[in-house]
Amino acid sequence: APVYSHLVYDIVEGETHCIRQPDVVIVEGLNVLQTGTGRAPMFVSDFFDFSIYVDAHEDDIEQWYVERFLTLHATVFRDPSSYFHRYATLTTDEATEVAREVWRSINLVNLRENVQPTRERAHLILEKGRDHAVRRVKLRKL
């Protein structure tokens, strides 16, 4: 599997993880339950024994995104090699506005168009509250 770097915000060229005969493999990602628009005969999720979709209200997800952006703004964005270093000199108010704009123009669009439509393909849906506690559990009949 390729190695992904949150520092450079991309796959690390030439680096991989090799997994040999594990008892359990957890695959995490926003798009792992997508079926695509082409005529592919199978999808990565066809190889899953069980899938979980973690859901929450859009307002809560936005708030968590802004909080995470501000944490990164105060830490990793300061690293000159960080993909997001260009945001390091923003004030907290400016960084908050940038985070909200990124949320509205990119992440919310992706959530609505690509992620949420996969929710019903999951075996289990966990609905989280603003405090991250699980508020509701939906289990598909197995």
Side-chain angles (χ1 to χ4, degrees), residues 121-138:
R121 295 194 70 239
H123 295 100
L124 179 72
I125 301 171
L126 300 177
E127 294 180 9
K128 290 174 54 173
R130 182 167 287 246
D131 63 354
H132 293 279
V134 174
R135 300 286 184 224
R136 189 171 178 193
V137 176
K138 296 180 184 176

Side-chain angles (χ1 to χ4, degrees), residues 20-106:
R20 299 186 196 285
Q21 299 182 334
D23 292 327
V24 175
V25 175
I26 298 173
V27 179
E28 182 275 332
L30 292 174
N31 303 315
V32 296
L33 294 177
Q34 285 183 335
T35 58
T37 55
R39 295 184 176 193
M42 63 184 70
F43 310 99
V44 68
S45 58
D46 292 338
F47 299 95
F48 297 167
D49 292 322
F50 195 80
S51 57
I52 301 171
Y53 184 101
V54 180
D55 199 11
H57 290 285
E58 288 178 0
D59 291 342
D60 294 339
I61 301 170
E62 176 183 7
Q63 184 59 38
W64 299 333
Y65 176 79
V66 170
E67 289 169 0
R68 180 172 180 254
F69 190 96
L70 293 176
T71 297
L72 295 172
H73 172 257
T75 57
V76 73
F77 290 3
R78 307 270 178 227
D79 185 330
S81 62
S82 169
Y83 177 81
F84 292 106
H85 181 66
R86 63 183 172 272
Y87 299 131
T89 60
L90 298 177
T91 66
T92 300
D93 288 343
E94 291 168 335
T96 300
E97 186 50 42
V98 166
R100 291 199 188 285
E101 178 55 31
V102 169
W103 170 257
R104 283 188 297 268
S105 64
I106 298 171

Side-chain angles (χ1 to χ4, degrees), residues 4-36:
Y4 184 84
S5 167
H6 285 282
L7 184 64
V8 296
Y9 223 62
D10 206 349
I11 292 172
V12 179
E13 186 70 33
E15 287 192 37
T16 60
H17 291 292
C18 183
I19 304 164
R20 299 186 196 285
Q21 299 182 334
D23 292 327
V24 175
V25 175
I26 298 173
V27 179
E28 182 275 332
L30 292 174
N31 303 315
V32 296
L33 294 177
Q34 285 183 335
T35 58

